[in-house]
Amino acid sequence: QVQLAESGGGLVQAGGSLRLSCAASGRTFSWSTMGWYRQAPGKEREFVAGITWNGGNTNYAESVKGRFTISRDNAKNTVYLQMNSLKPEDTAVYYCAGRRDVYSGTASTEAHEYFYWGQGTQVTVSS
């Protein structure tokens, strides 16, 4: 059974940092694009960041550019999201996602391109 397990969420003050992790099990994602999404209360799920299988290409939402960094450790089958300079508007449930195909050169931004999804981890930024 394929699972994506997010961790690292929590409560942080504005201006602070958090590092989210997404550990995959059940199959290797070493050759698949991975992404992070988030959903705030009352809002639709939105793309945050994506990274290709080898880390060669990344994409970020405009709202997080320069503050968030996506990375991966294929040996650990894990993807990370380093979040700095957090703002109250970053408060949301953050989800990890993985594509099913391999060797894609696109750091996908569209949710329908991801097949596997985690259960999410809550990030709350206080003002």
Side-chain angles (χ1 to χ4, degrees), residues 50-119:
I51 186 168
T52 52
W53 66 277
N54 61 355
N57 286 316
T58 57
N59 270 325
Y60 294 93
E62 285 296 325
S63 59
V64 307
K65 277 184 180 178
R67 299 188 298 122
F68 291 11
T69 302
I70 188 171
S71 62
R72 64 190 301 159
D73 184 338
N74 287 342
K76 295 182 179 180
N77 217 17
T78 300
V79 177
Y80 305 97
L81 185 68
Q82 178 66 44
M83 305 185 296
N84 298 329
S85 302
L86 282 161
K87 305 175 181 180
E89 51 263 44
D90 293 318
T91 295
V93 177
Y94 283 71
Y95 298 91
C96 175
R99 285 182 59 146
R100 187 164 51 175
D101 60 344
V102 296
Y103 301 129
S104 170
T106 303
S108 308
T109 62
E110 298 293 330
H112 68 83
E113 295 182 5
Y114 291 92
F115 185 80
Y116 300 101
W117 291 85
Q119 294 299 307

Side-chain angles (χ1 to χ4, degrees), residues 16-33:
S17 298
L18 283 174
R19 188 194 196 201
L20 305 184
S21 298
C22 171
S25 60
R27 62 156 276 182
T28 181
F29 284 89
S30 298
W31 304 293
S32 298
T33 290

